[in-house]
Amino acid sequence: HQHHQVLVGAVVIICTALSSKDGAGAYGFAILSGPPPQQTRASSSAVVMHGVRRGSTSGGFAKGMGAKGGISSSRKKKGAKKKKNLAPSYELKAGTSIRDVLNPHLFDDPSTLDGIRKRIRAGEICVIRNAFIPDFAEAMYTELDDTDTWSRNEDYFEDGYGYRHNNVYSKADFSPLFLQANAMFETNATKAFMSDLTGRDCTGESVGAPSYYEAGDHSLPHTDHIGQRSVAYIWHLSKDWRPEYGGGLYWAPEPLANAYLHASFNTLVLFSVTPYSSHFVTTVSPRARGKRLAYNGWWHSSWVPKAADPLEETLATPEQRLTLTHFQIQSINDMLDDPWAPRIQPPERHDKVVQLRQDIMDELYPDARSAPVD
């Protein structure tokens, strides 16, 4: 996980405002960049986008969805045996794409998706209010609220990173609706839509799971930059949640006034995973009422760099190099350093890739800007 620094200014853009007869329909939609989400009307659907800063230091990786390390514990929470809901109140058909269940007003004006596309490709976080159709969101909230198959996940690392929260990672403990939602995020149609929207390769596996933060739970600063993770999503499904309850997503590249993205209901958060996508979840207060619930995960890249790939062309610019996953960076290192790896030929190409690797390390893992004074 990485931290970072250098900021792009914010602009407010109201793209469209749609409402029902009472003036505050479930599908109202607008794009905002800059102001804290609590300044947006609760009745409107909004996309809040923020800038990205540069700089990084290394950190630990979250366990439970693809990483190891630290002092950890994972245990099932005690409770009455869950009665599996075999007839969910909402059902997703096989092959459903995310586009089929998103707020339809996202697609009314082409400039809306164009705005999201431009900003997320610039490394900004994207927050979409009233993101999914209401029946689907209500059904997912009910499943999360009723679930008692949570596992307690807690881990601490030597570099200071740590987390504590509840999850359902085993598919054996997923309700039918959770399985259907996971399948929806995994369909080829969803991956194609997300690849086009974000400019990242999302054609690898999709991993997602429920999460529940209770009093004292938190997740310290990290970037999600591990393995083949390409694009992250957090679908917030907390009802009647107040900012003072904690559990907010803090987007570290932003100034303090705009950095808090408080837990809410039916809000989808998207960001491109890079060494600069530093964020954390603030500690949930012991005074919190209700549950801080979400369904979150990642789309992964399927590309594994090989010696025969035209790396000099595909990674020619800083913007292209920024899209490398952690695993892809390791793969480039291995092809240069591992004596048993296939050699890059001819030697002139090898020298160019060596320089390319140096550019990658200088850009994505720069030296500390404020070194300690002894």
Side-chain angles (χ1 to χ4, degrees):
H1 287 246
Q2 317 295 327
H3 309 282
H4 46 273
Q5 300 129 29
V6 182
L7 163 70
V8 177
V11 178
V12 177
I13 307 172
I14 305 298
C15 287
T16 179
L18 301 172
S19 62
S20 64
K21 293 179 180 178
D22 62 3
Y27 290 131
F29 188 81
I31 292 187
L32 303 176
S33 177
Q38 64 265 30
Q39 293 180 4
T40 304
R41 291 189 310 165
S43 61
S44 68
S45 175
V47 180
V48 184
M49 304 171 187
H50 300 281
V52 170
R53 289 189 287 186
R54 295 288 182 135
S56 66
T57 57
S58 62
F61 295 128
K63 189 180 177 185
M65 296 187 81
K68 300 178 181 179
I71 303 169
S72 65
S73 67
S74 178
R75 63 182 186 275
K76 280 285 184 68
K77 292 178 70 66
K78 295 180 179 180
K81 185 174 179 61
K82 180 175 174 59
K83 295 180 180 179
K84 291 267 186 175
N85 183 4
L86 300 179
S89 57
Y90 190 88
E91 188 169 354
L92 294 174
K93 296 180 181 179
T96 297
S97 165
I98 191 172
R99 186 177 180 124
D100 300 326
V101 289
L102 283 171
N103 182 329
H105 287 306
L106 278 167
F107 308 100
D108 284 347
D109 185 345
S111 66
T112 299
L113 285 185
D114 287 343
I116 296 173
R117 183 177 291 108
K118 182 183 298 183
R119 288 164 174 80
I120 201 166
R121 289 176 183 222
E124 301 174 9
I125 195 167
C126 178
V127 181
I128 306 175
R129 306 288 185 193
N130 297 330
F132 290 90
I133 57 179
D135 289 349
F136 182 29
E138 290 288 348
M140 284 292 286
Y141 167 78
T142 298
E143 291 289 331
L144 288 166
D145 190 44
D146 288 347
T147 293
D148 58 10
T149 56
W150 300 107
S151 292
R152 190 70 163 155
N153 290 284
E154 187 170 8
D155 213 342
Y156 302 95
F157 297 80
E158 291 182 356
D159 64 0
Y161 173 64
Y163 60 83
R164 193 182 85 179
H165 43 68
N166 303 295
N167 304 91
V168 183
Y169 288 141
S170 172
K171 294 292 180 63
D173 293 327
F174 274 34
S175 71
L177 185 57
F178 290 160
L179 291 171
Q180 291 169 16
N182 229 43
M184 178 271 293
F185 287 116
E186 176 76 19
T187 61
N188 289 336
T190 292
K191 293 177 181 179
F193 175 77
M194 294 308 303
S195 295
D196 175 72
L197 185 68
T198 65
R200 298 293 303 271
D201 174 23
C202 297
T203 59
E205 71 169 334
S206 173
V207 177
S211 71
Y212 164 37
Y213 282 65
E214 56 188 327
D217 286 356
H218 58 273
S219 184
L220 296 181
H222 61 285
T223 65
D224 287 356
H225 195 242
I226 182 174
Q228 287 279 62
R229 291 176 182 175
S230 186
V231 174
Y233 69 87
I234 307 102
W235 184 10
H236 285 284
L237 288 158
S238 304
K239 286 195 173 184
D240 302 318
W241 195 264
R242 300 175 62 86
E244 58 264 36
Y245 293 166
L249 176 65
Y250 187 98
W251 187 246
E254 270 295 300
L256 177 65
N258 300 333
Y260 284 100
L261 306 172
H262 301 295
S264 56
F265 178 69
N266 196 17
T267 298
L268 179 65
V269 177
L270 299 170
F271 61 86
S272 182
V273 176
T274 75
Y276 300 150
S277 53
S278 185
H279 60 283
F280 61 92
V281 178
T282 64
T283 305
V284 174
S285 168
R287 298 182 180 181
R289 298 180 180 179
K291 297 179 180 178
R292 197 274 193 187
L293 300 169
Y295 195 96
N296 59 278
W298 302 267
W299 287 283
H300 293 69
S301 173
S302 62
W303 179 53
V304 178
K306 298 179 176 59
D309 292 342
L311 299 175
E312 310 94 304
E313 289 78 30
T314 56
L315 299 175
T317 68
E319 292 77 16
Q320 290 171 317
R321 294 189 284 270
L322 185 61
T323 66
L324 285 167
T325 67
H326 188 266
F327 178 81
Q328 289 161 358
I329 294 171
Q330 289 180 316
S331 297
I332 293 171
N333 281 331
D334 289 344
M335 73 173 67
L336 293 173
D337 298 337
D338 184 351
W340 301 104
R343 309 315 298 162
I344 299 173
Q345 297 294 341
E348 293 79 9
R349 275 202 68 229
H350 179 273
D351 293 343
K352 289 181 179 179
V353 176
V354 169
Q355 181 57 54
L356 182 64
R357 189 218 348 226
Q358 187 60 52
D359 292 339
I360 291 169
M361 301 311 293
D362 289 345
E363 293 164 5
L364 303 189
Y365 305 102
D367 294 333
R369 294 185 174 186
S370 301
V373 177
D374 294 328

